[in-house]
Amino acid sequence: MKIATEFSLDEISAVLARTPATLNALLRGLPDRWVLSNEGRGNEGKDTWSAFDIVGHLIVGERTDWMPRVRIILESGEARAFDPFDRFAQSRESQGKSLEQLLDEFASLRAENLAALRALNLRAEDFNRRGRHPALGVVTLSELLATWAVHDLTHLHQLSRVMAHQYRDAVGPWSAYLGVLHCTGHSA
Amino acid sequence: MKIATEFSLDEISAVLARTPATLNALLRGLPDRWVLSNEGRGNEGKDTWSAFDIVGHLIVGERTDWMPRVRIILESGEARAFDPFDRFAQSRESQGKSLEQLLDEFASLRAENLAALRALNLRAEDFNRRGRHPALGVVTLSELLATWAVHDLTHLHQLSRVMAHQYRDAVGPWSAYLGVLHCTGHSA
């Protein structure tokens, strides 16, 4: 049973379930300096994302990407390619909202999606079912679910980097010891 | 008043105060696979750190590094170099403890240290006071405090990377899109 040892829905769900509370603990109530783009602060420069943008992007994923793609795989397999993920939709959809509203919205969408995922009662053999990514080609359901979790982690990684960037000068010579200030692994 | 705009103790404390709850939300109760070194899992390979090791390292910093260095600057200035930070003390000090115990210990030490920092009633001019780092040379109190916060962020950055590493194969072709799997900014 390769699947049982290499892939576990419980293991993936454990990460997915924790992300909203993690972002909430990290971000809620922080001074704007850390979380909002404003006159060159709060992001990593022109056309980069602030914490506000990142949480908005995670919301768009919950609405349009992860569970819709799970359903496309289960219903159509490789016959229907996934809809592309709009990586810029958050600038429209987050407009006029506070970071606190976005954190609440993300938490409630994630909880709904995890409940919907459990309700599918997926069996071990389902995780090998195949779908078609518009750019990457054939992918499996297990790869999609693992990617959902690692996508959370890639944005937590980005968040810590964007926040650290605000103090890149303030740390003085310690910059040399702080790996986060030298990260080149930007999330795509 | 350059200090007032460029450096804010409240801004730094806001990050420092949130880290224990962030790590708690991210890590408490996760399956061992994600957090403990075990037969090549839970870290990034030989002599790298798991989540357990990282939280242990943060505890050592609370005990021996940050506030002791603040006090050395205030009491001795550049006359006395800081004690070096033992980056491997956690393997000894965490022995026999659970991750949950470490999370509790970190939270309580951090709360004590933030209370002690506030009790110093630092004035704006204090943040320019100078100390001597054993390797980096002259540093200021404001650089030390900014580094304390960015050090939290560098380990959150590392944690997200170590966790993502566990699924580096499971994500299949999506690996190309997940920046956290391509990060080379390792924390020193």
Side-chain angles (χ1 to χ4, degrees):
Chain A
M1 283 294 293
K2 185 164 182 289
I3 290 163
T5 53
E6 291 302 320
F7 181 83
S8 154
L9 189 59
D10 287 346
E11 234 176 54
I12 287 180
S13 303
V15 171
L16 290 171
R18 279 164 176 75
T19 306
T22 302
L23 299 185
N24 197 63
L26 178 66
L27 300 175
R28 186 177 296 261
L30 270 185
D32 287 353
R33 155 78 176 260
W34 294 112
V35 291
L36 297 180
S37 303
N38 183 25
E39 294 176 3
R41 286 190 166 180
N43 61 17
E44 297 172 295
K46 191 166 180 300
D47 294 333
T48 63
W49 292 4
S50 66
F52 183 85
D53 301 320
I54 293 167
V55 179
H57 167 74
L58 290 170
I59 288 173
V60 174
E62 294 303 303
R63 285 201 198 286
T64 69
D65 193 86
W66 307 108
M67 284 303 294
R69 289 180 172 192
V70 168
R71 293 200 177 89
I72 290 172
I73 290 181
L74 295 176
E75 288 163 16
S76 312
E78 296 171 63
R80 179 187 157 190
F82 305 145
D83 300 324
F85 192 163
D86 182 351
R87 291 184 54 254
F88 302 98
Q90 64 274 5
S91 63
R92 194 170 59 243
E93 301 205 2
S94 302
Q95 218 162 27
K97 296 180 183 167
S98 68
L99 178 61
E100 282 63 28
Q101 284 174 299
L102 295 187
L103 289 166
D104 288 341
E105 195 175 338
F106 175 56
S108 108
L109 288 168
R110 174 59 58 89
E112 282 170 28
N113 280 331
L114 285 179
L117 180 63
R118 274 192 301 276
L120 292 173
N121 287 312
L122 295 169
R123 295 156 306 166
E125 59 269 31
D126 289 326
F127 297 114
N128 285 328
R129 292 174 71 167
R130 293 148 67 106
R132 187 154 51 86
H133 185 282
L136 299 170
V138 174
V139 291
T140 65
L141 181 58
S142 75
E143 288 167 349
L144 173 64
L145 295 171
T147 298
W148 191 0
V150 177
H151 181 263
D152 280 8
L153 294 169
T154 213
H155 286 294
L156 183 60
H157 187 254
Q158 181 188 24
L159 261 175
S160 63
R161 195 186 67 224
V162 172
M163 289 176 65
H165 185 78
Q166 311 314 311
Y167 270 24
R168 64 198 178 283
D169 297 324
V171 300
W174 266 290
S175 170
Y177 290 178
L178 296 162
V180 67
L181 296 174
H182 306 284
C183 173
T184 55
H186 289 238
S187 299
Chain B
M1 285 293 293
K2 185 164 183 288
I3 288 163
T5 53
E6 291 302 319
F7 181 82
S8 154
L9 189 58
D10 286 346
E11 233 176 53
I12 288 181
S13 303
V15 171
L16 291 171
R18 279 163 176 76
T19 306
T22 303
L23 298 185
N24 196 64
L26 179 65
L27 300 174
R28 186 177 296 262
L30 270 186
D32 287 353
R33 154 78 176 263
W34 292 112
V35 291
L36 298 179
S37 301
N38 184 25
E39 295 177 2
R41 285 190 167 179
N43 60 19
E44 296 173 295
K46 191 166 180 300
D47 294 333
T48 63
W49 292 4
S50 66
F52 183 84
D53 301 320
I54 293 167
V55 180
H57 167 73
L58 290 170
I59 288 173
V60 174
E62 293 304 303
R63 284 201 197 288
T64 70
D65 194 86
W66 307 108
M67 283 304 293
R69 289 179 172 192
V70 168
R71 293 201 178 89
I72 289 171
I73 290 181
L74 295 177
E75 288 163 16
S76 312
E78 295 172 65
R80 179 188 157 191
F82 305 145
D83 301 323
F85 193 164
D86 182 351
R87 291 185 54 255
F88 302 99
Q90 64 275 7
S91 62
R92 195 170 59 244
E93 300 204 2
S94 302
Q95 218 163 27
K97 296 179 183 166
S98 68
L99 177 62
E100 282 64 27
Q101 285 174 297
L102 295 186
L103 289 165
D104 289 341
E105 197 175 337
F106 176 56
S108 109
L109 288 167
R110 174 58 59 89
E112 283 170 29
N113 281 332
L114 285 178
L117 180 63
R118 273 191 303 275
L120 292 173
N121 288 313
L122 295 170
R123 294 156 305 167
E125 59 268 32
D126 289 326
F127 297 114
N128 285 328
R129 291 174 71 167
R130 293 148 67 107
R132 188 154 52 86
H133 186 282
L136 299 171
V138 173
V139 291
T140 65
L141 181 58
S142 75
E143 288 168 348
L144 174 63
L145 295 171
T147 298
W148 191 0
V150 177
H151 182 263
D152 279 8
L153 295 169
T154 212
H155 287 293
L156 183 60
H157 187 254
Q158 179 187 24
L159 261 175
S160 64
R161 194 186 68 224
V162 172
M163 289 176 64
H165 185 77
Q166 311 313 311
Y167 270 23
R168 64 198 178 282
D169 297 326
V171 299
W174 267 290
S175 170
Y177 290 178
L178 295 161
V180 67
L181 297 174
H182 306 284
C183 171
T184 55
H186 290 239
S187 299

